[in-house]
Amino acid sequence: MSLSTAAARANRGAHTENRTPEELREIVSHWGAELELAPAEVIIEWAAATFGERFCVTSSMGDSVLAHLAAKVVPGIDVVFLDTGYHFIETIGTRDAVAATLPVNLLSITPKQTVAEQDAQYGKDLYARDPDLCCALRKVQPLAEGLSHYDAWATGLRRAETHNRVIAPVIGWDAKKQKVKVSPIARWSDEQVETYIAENGVLVNPLVYDGYPSIGCAPCTRRVAPGEDPRSGRWAGTNKTECGIHT
Ligand code: SF4
């Protein structure tokens, strides 16, 4: 299958009406297998042509590989960043650099409460006592609201990242959000990511080169030693491995 970039651009904005969940699921079942082995750019082209302005890309700003791919295929595409209020300054700097250098529409979404308001209601450092609740308030709920204008969202999820993500489909159905979840680089290895970054001069969060291969909120992310599971620095010392956005 091949879609032209021009067609993808021309179709953006064509789909302004909400499709029903049944219609969206039908799209997933029809296209999921067909796009499983397609290059990332083709997957993004397909999503932009199929969903128009109701398709966005999300980025946690560990790197900007997905934003870079999407900007190349669909200039002006919405890139959604979830600003939890607990990010490292390097992550905010990466977001700002992406907004300044890539042809994307960078949208930062924030939780209902500031960190100070959350502290006042739930007590200081909720992340240390109830990280699931903290993630629900600062990640899962705001992202669900931030994605309410879209029928489909793309993530940088990769099967190589952790065993929990092994089955991440390229085109899947997010039953909780009732949206199409697109993972254009699901099949990419670590080496493929590194090659794409090097060949395209892609912006990378400087913490990646300082012992943080997987970057989340500052209080819940620690350095990992070379050879350790890259995601072992997330919620280290607890059983928690995911924030709930992808489960
Ligand atoms: S990663 Fe930590 S600080 Fe960030 S929302 Fe989850 S529990 Fe809270």
Side-chain angles (χ1 to χ4, degrees):
M1 188 205 71
S2 172
L3 289 168
S4 74
T5 302
R9 285 180 191 149
N11 275 322
R12 271 187 75 70
H15 305 283
T16 53
E17 296 300 320
N18 253 331
R19 288 183 169 110
T20 66
E22 290 70 32
E23 289 170 325
L24 295 173
R25 287 173 69 168
E26 180 63 28
I27 289 172
V28 171
S29 60
H30 181 80
W31 286 98
E34 185 140 358
L35 289 166
E36 173 62 26
L37 299 177
E41 290 91 338
V42 171
I43 295 164
I44 294 168
E45 269 189 274
W46 167 83
T50 303
F51 304 106
E53 291 182 346
R54 297 188 66 82
F55 170 62
C56 70
V57 166
T58 56
S59 176
S60 59
M61 299 299 164
D63 63 54
S64 57
V65 168
L66 186 60
H68 187 276
L69 279 163
K72 212 168 48 174
V73 179
V74 194
I77 192 167
D78 290 351
V79 174
V80 174
F81 170 71
L82 181 52
D83 186 353
T84 65
Y86 276 122
H87 282 301
F88 291 100
I89 189 69
E90 290 87 346
T91 302
I92 299 301
T94 304
R95 174 201 64 184
D96 293 346
V98 165
T101 59
L102 288 181
V104 298
N105 182 33
L106 201 299
L107 301 166
S108 281
I109 57 176
T110 54
K112 276 203 176 78
Q113 293 183 314
T114 63
V115 170
E117 287 167 345
Q118 178 172 295
D119 285 353
Q121 182 170 347
Y122 296 95
K124 195 166 163 44
D125 300 345
L126 180 62
Y127 57 79
R129 291 173 284 111
D130 192 344
D132 286 342
L133 177 58
C134 187
C135 277
L137 294 169
R138 309 205 72 75
K139 287 189 168 184
V140 179
Q141 289 174 13
L143 185 64
E145 284 167 25
L147 294 181
S148 62
H149 306 297
Y150 304 99
D151 287 336
W153 60 303
T155 81
L157 216 57
R158 290 189 301 113
R159 294 169 191 167
E161 286 175 311
T162 171
H163 68 278
N164 289 341
R165 301 180 174 195
V166 165
I167 55 168
V170 167
I171 310 292
W173 176 243
D174 187 328
K176 273 191 195 161
K177 296 186 187 63
Q178 297 281 290
K179 295 183 190 306
V180 179
K181 185 171 173 181
V182 182
S183 301
I185 58 171
R187 293 182 298 107
W188 283 28
S189 64
D190 293 348
E191 291 73 26
Q192 279 177 284
V193 172
E194 286 162 17
T195 301
Y196 187 85
I197 288 170
E199 289 181 350
N200 294 280
V202 171
L203 279 165
V204 177
N205 190 320
L207 290 174
V208 168
Y209 304 116
D210 191 23
Y212 295 85
S214 176
I215 304 163
C217 294
C220 300
T221 307
R222 69 156 175 81
R223 270 194 185 85
V224 301
E228 266 189 292
D229 174 357
R231 279 188 64 87
S232 64
R234 306 289 295 278
W235 303 284
T238 76
N239 290 329
K240 188 174 169 66
T241 57
E242 296 280 351
C243 61
I245 285 173
H246 296 298
T247 55

